C-alpha cells in the first residue's frame, strides 16, 4: 500500500510518478478488497461550489473505509459570514482528521493547508482537479492496461481539468495534447511543470487545431466550455468553442480503439455530441464510478488502513 500518511494533495504535482501509479494499483485492488481505517476518522467536506460526483464519491469512500463524513456547506458555517480562512482552518484542524475543499482560488486551499495540520485535499479549485485525474488514469489503464506512451488529447477550455491532466499524463509517462481556442490556454506554470516532468520521454503539446490534436489519439477528453464561476461568459464562449466540440467526425480521426472521457457534468450539443457521449467508445460512466475507487485509495493511504 502506498503510504501518503498525513500528506496534503493540493495539486497532482504533489505526487511522484511512483506514488501516482501505486495509488492506481491500490484503487484497482479496492474494487474487490475491503480496507478498514486503523481508527475511526472523520472527513470534512467544505465545498463552496456545487458537486454531485466528488461529494458523493468521497462520502461513500469514507463510509466504506469505516470512517465518517461531515458536509460543511459554507452557508451553514461561519465561512459564509466571512470568518477568515486561517481561523476556520485552525479550528477545523482540532476536530477533523482530513479535509476536502472545493473552492475558487487555489491560494485559499494553500492557506487552509498552511494553517491546518491535518491533510487537506483539493476537491477542485479554479486551477486544478487532481482527484478527477486519478479516476481518469484508472479508467484509461483499465482499457489499455499500460499507460506508458499513450496519447491523451483534451479538446476545449484550458481549465482546471486540463491543467491537472497535463500533470497526470506527464507523471504517468503519457503524451498529452491540449487543443484550445486562442485566449483560453491552460496555466503556463503548469505547462512548464508538466514539461519538466515529461522531460524528453513524452510530449506536452499545445495547439489551436482540434484536428491536429485528435489525430491518432488514444483518448479524447473534454469538459464544459464555461466552468463554475464563469457562468456569465457562457453565451459569449459558445461560438468561440464550437470548433472544439467532440463529434463523431473528430473522433474518427483518433486511433480506431480510442476512448472518450468527460469528467461530467456534460452539456450535450456543446463540448460533446449526444451521439459520442452515448456511443460505444465513451467510458464516462466507468470514469465516474472510478472517482469512488481512486479516492478510497487516496483516503486509505493518507489516513492509514489495512
Ligand atoms: N467531475 C466532478 O468533479 O463532478 P462534480 O462537480 O459533480 O463533483
Ligand atoms: N471545469 C469544470 C469541472 C467540473 C467538474 C468546473 O470547474 O466547473
Amino acid at each position: 500500500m502506498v503510504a501518503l500518511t498525513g500528506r496534503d494533495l493540493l495539486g497532482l504535482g504533489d505526487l511522484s510518478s511512483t506514488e501516482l501509479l501505486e495509488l492506481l494499483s491500490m484503487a484497482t485492488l479496492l474494487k474487490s478488497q475491503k480496507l478498514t481505517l486503523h481508527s475511526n476518522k472523520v472527513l470534512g467536506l467544505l465545498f463552496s461550489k456545487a458537486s454531485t460526483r466528488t461529494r458523493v464519491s468521497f462520502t461513500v469512500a469514507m463510509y466504506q473505509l469505516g470512517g465518517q463524513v461531515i458536509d460543511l456547506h459554507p452557508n451553514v458555517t461561519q465561512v459564509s459570514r466571512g470568518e477568515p480562512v486561517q481561523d476556520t482552518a485552525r479550528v477545523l484542524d482540532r476536530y477533523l482528521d482530513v479535509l476536502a475543499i472545493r473552492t475558487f482560488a487555489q491560494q485559499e486551499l494553500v492557506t487552509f493547508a498552511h494553517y491546518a495540520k491535518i491533510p487537506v485535499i483539493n476537491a477542485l479549485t479554479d486551477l486544478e482537479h487532481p482527484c478527477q485525474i486519478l479516476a481518469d488514469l484508472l479508467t484509461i489503464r483499465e482499457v489499455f492496461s499500460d499507460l506508458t506512451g499513450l496519447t491523451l488529447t483534451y479538446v476545449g477550455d484550458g481549465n482546471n481539468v486540463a491543467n491537472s491532466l497535463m500533470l497526470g499524463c506527464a507523471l504517468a509517462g503519457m503524451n498529452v495534447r491540449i487543443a484550445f481556442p486562442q485566449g483560453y490556454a491552460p496555466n503556463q506554470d503548469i505547462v512548464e511543470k508538466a514539461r519538466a516532468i515529461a522531460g524528453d520521454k513524452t510530449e506536452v503539446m499545445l495547439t489551436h487545431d482540434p484536428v491536429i490534436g485528435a489525430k491518432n489519439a488514444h483518448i479524447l477528453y473534454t469538459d464544459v466550455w464555461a466552468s463554475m464561476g464563469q457562468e456569465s461568459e457562457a453565451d459569449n464562449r459558445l461560438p468561440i468553442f464550437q470548433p472544439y466540440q467532440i463529434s463523431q467526425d473528430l473522433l474518427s480521426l483518433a486511433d480506431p480503439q480510442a476512448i472518450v472521457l468527460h469528467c461530467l457534468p456534460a452539456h450535450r450539443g456543446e463540448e460533446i455530441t449526444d451521439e459520442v457521449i452515448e456511443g460505444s467508445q465513451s467510458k464516462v460512466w466507468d470514469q465516474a464510478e472510478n472517482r469512488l475507487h481512486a479516492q478510497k485509495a487516496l483516503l486509505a493511504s493518507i489516513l492509514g488502513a489495512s
Side-chain angles (χ1 to χ4, degrees):
M1 184 169 116
V2 54
L4 301 176
T5 320
R7 294 252 300 266
D8 295 324
L9 183 72
L10 305 185
L12 214 48
D14 291 350
L15 296 175
S16 68
S17 293
T18 309
E19 287 167 343
L20 173 69
L21 296 173
E22 283 179 6
L23 263 183
L24 300 184
S25 298
M26 194 173 154
T28 302
L29 273 180
L30 284 172
K31 287 194 165 193
S32 56
Q33 281 180 28
K34 188 172 156 57
L35 280 186
T36 306
L37 297 173
H38 288 149
S39 56
N40 188 20
K41 304 277 186 192
V42 183
L43 163 70
L45 298 176
L46 187 58
F47 283 20
S48 302
K49 291 174 173 172
S51 169
T52 299
R53 280 143 288 269
T54 311
R55 183 193 304 286
V56 178
S57 56
F58 261 117
T59 304
V60 174
M62 201 61 184
Y63 288 168
Q64 291 184 355
L65 288 167
Q68 293 174 54
V69 180
I70 304 180
D71 196 346
L72 296 159
H73 193 277
N75 288 348
V76 298
T77 66
Q78 299 287 5
V79 170
S80 59
R81 298 180 63 249
E83 183 166 10
V85 167
Q86 58 268 40
D87 296 1
T88 308
R90 281 176 290 187
V91 172
L92 293 180
D93 175 76
R94 307 284 178 115
Y95 306 136
L96 300 169
D97 299 292
V98 56
L99 182 59
I101 297 176
R102 170 168 286 203
T103 191
F104 294 86
Q106 179 77 9
Q107 188 51 49
E108 188 185 323
L109 189 76
V110 171
T111 306
F112 249 107
H114 177 77
Y115 283 97
K117 293 189 289 294
I118 55 169
V120 172
I121 298 172
N122 181 345
L124 181 148
T125 61
D126 290 346
L127 187 69
E128 277 212 55
H129 195 3
C131 296
Q132 176 67 52
I133 277 59
L134 294 178
D136 302 341
L137 294 173
L138 180 59
T139 311
I140 297 165
R141 208 170 66 162
E142 285 172 352
V143 175
F144 294 99
S145 301
D146 187 7
L147 297 175
T148 321
L150 293 175
T151 296
L152 180 147
T153 298
Y154 173 95
V155 188
D157 185 26
N159 61 17
N160 42 13
V161 170
N163 290 334
S164 291
L165 273 173
M166 289 190 294
L167 292 170
C169 290
L171 285 167
M174 294 168 60
N175 301 297
V176 58
R177 303 174 187 158
I178 310 289
F180 60 95
Q182 207 147 20
Y184 297 90
N187 180 276
Q188 189 54 35
D189 289 344
I190 294 188
V191 172
E192 283 162 26
K193 203 168 168 182
R195 285 189 170 144
I197 295 167
D200 54 12
K201 293 194 294 293
T202 56
E203 192 184 13
V204 179
M205 182 212 272
L206 302 189
T207 176
H208 293 311
D209 189 340
V211 169
I212 290 176
K215 261 195 188 133
N216 303 321
H218 301 100
I219 303 105
L220 285 192
Y221 195 126
T222 191
D223 183 18
V224 290
W225 290 339
S227 286
M228 289 181 277
Q230 298 172 332
E231 288 79 4
S232 64
E233 295 177 39
D235 287 348
N236 289 342
R237 286 181 176 222
L238 281 179
I240 299 169
F241 278 90
Q242 199 56 51
Y244 295 83
Q245 180 186 68
I246 298 194
S247 61
Q248 206 57 51
D249 282 351
L250 196 69
L251 181 54
S252 69
L253 303 174
D255 185 276
Q257 307 301 321
I259 61 167
V260 176
L261 299 180
H262 189 310
C263 58
L264 304 177
H267 292 68
R268 287 169 166 79
E270 293 186 15
E271 74 273 4
I272 193 162
T273 62
D274 191 55
E275 188 184 17
V276 170
I277 199 168
E278 297 293 351
S280 60
Q281 288 167 277
S282 167
K283 296 287 174 210
V284 300
W285 316 117
D286 291 340
Q287 180 188 9
E289 177 188 329
N290 280 334
R291 297 293 307 273
L292 168 64
H293 309 297
Q295 284 153 210
K296 211 197 289 185
L298 178 67
L299 289 167
S301 57
I302 286 175
L303 296 172
S306 54

